[in-house]
């Protein structure tokens, strides 16, 4: 299979926005109200917000392409860009999304390996992420990738408070 990783820049904003909305919708629409989905997506994926995140030197976005077609994306954060107060020795996977038709082909694992490579190259000791407690598919995937639950935090989907499990994996 031909798999390529491409680091996103400002020029990729529109594709990033489209893929972010599509994958978020496909993943969460069945378990959340349309109003809460809308509120979250307007806040998280508006062009100004994504532009700001792309410009942050402590965050990196990547597309994964399968036979030249964008099949998903990864966002990692370091230092102050991490969405929880964590050590400077850790890297956060804030988003990892594979479009429906490309799932279960090894691409998610490829992106986890990409995140690990970035973490190691920055001398990080740990990778962590937050995952909604009801996203069982993702939780099973992360366990398969060697992550274990190390905490929990709340998260707002529109006006609904939800629990995210914190999962992490050391790199030593
Ligand atoms: C979760 C997600 C990133 C996994 O990516 P993927 O490309 O489908 O997974 P892969 O094909 O790379 O699977 C890697 C391994 O995990 C296993 N795996 C993947 N999904 C699994 C699941 N739901 N249950 C159990 N094992 C799973 C695979 O069998 C594979 O195992 P192997 O290495 O022994 O062959 C992808 O399904 C996705 O984008 N889901 C929707 C968005 C989402 O929930 N993102 C996370 C938000 S926190």
């Amino acid at each position: 299979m031909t798999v390529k990783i491409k680091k996103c820049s400002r020029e990729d904003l529109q594709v990033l926005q489209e893929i972010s909305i599509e994958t978020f919708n496909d993943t969460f629409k069945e378990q959340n109200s349309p109003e809460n989905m809308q509120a979250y997506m307007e806040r998280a994926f508006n062009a100004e917000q994504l532009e700001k995140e792309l410009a942050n030197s402590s965050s990196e976005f990547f597309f994964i392409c399968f036979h030249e077609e964008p099949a998903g994306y990864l966002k990692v954060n370091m230092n102050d860009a991490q969405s929880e107060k964590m050590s400077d020795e850790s890297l956060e996977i804030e988003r990892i999304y594979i479009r429906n038709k490309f799932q279960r082909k090894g691409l998610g694992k490829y992106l986890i390996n990409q995140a690990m490579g970035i973490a190691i190259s920055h001398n990080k000791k740990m990778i962590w992420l937050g995952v909604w407690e009801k996203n069982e598919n993702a939780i099973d995937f992360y366990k398969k990738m060697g992550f274990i639950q190390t905490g929990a935090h709340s998260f707002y989907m529109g006006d609904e408070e939800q629990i995210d499990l914190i999962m992490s994996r050391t790199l030593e």
Side-chain angles (χ1 to χ4, degrees), residues 27 96-98 103-109 130-131 135 137-138 140-142 144-145:
T27 306
I96 178 166
Y97 286 86
I98 302 295
Q103 287 177 11
R104 302 301 284 256
K105 292 180 189 299
L107 301 182
K109 186 177 186 172
V131 55
N135 189 352
N137 279 332
D140 288 346
F141 164 74
Y142 293 136
K144 197 87 195 262
M145 296 296 102

Side-chain angles (χ1 to χ4, degrees), residues 108-167:
K109 186 177 186 172
Y110 206 99
L111 287 180
I112 293 281
N113 286 337
Q114 172 76 7
M116 303 242 301
I118 297 167
I120 290 165
S121 71
H122 286 85
N123 297 314
K124 305 297 182 195
K125 304 275 186 281
M126 195 260 278
I127 299 200
W128 70 278
L129 54 89
V131 55
W132 187 28
E133 61 178 350
K134 294 192 181 161
N135 189 352
E136 288 168 13
N137 279 332
I139 293 170
D140 288 346
F141 164 74
Y142 293 136
K143 283 185 184 157
K144 197 87 195 262
M145 296 296 102
F147 288 77
I148 52 163
Q149 189 189 342
T150 49
H153 68 187
S154 24
F155 161 92
Y156 275 88
M157 173 72 91
D159 61 5
E160 186 186 326
E161 187 177 8
Q162 302 185 343
I163 304 294
D164 264 5
L165 310 184
I166 307 282
M167 299 184 76

